[in-house]
Amino acid sequence: RQALEVDPATVDVDAILDLTSQVAHRYARPMAPVAAYILGVALGKAGAGADRATLAGEIVDSLPAN
């Protein structure tokens, strides 16, 4: 993480795993890493004050049905 200049304290592993689990079970497994990527992009654009849970929920709800 240090090589990427990402503060480990800002990485919510449990939230990422929860998101990918929801996506894998609700849609298709190959969409799980895509959803994690989308979450990272959304958080990067939203800035430090972004609500991870809200963004994750919006991602899950916006994916196309399987």
Side-chain angles (χ1 to χ4, degrees), residues 4-28:
L4 300 174
E5 298 182 21
V6 174
D7 179 2
T10 65
V11 179
D12 188 344
V13 174
D14 290 333
I16 295 168
L17 292 175
D18 182 52
L19 169 66
T20 57
S21 175
Q22 286 183 52
V23 170
H25 288 94
R26 190 167 169 183
Y27 300 101

Side-chain angles (χ1 to χ4, degrees), residues 29-46:
R29 286 189 185 274
M31 284 300 297
V34 174
Y37 174 77
I38 293 169
L39 178 62
V41 170
L43 287 170
K45 286 186 171 193

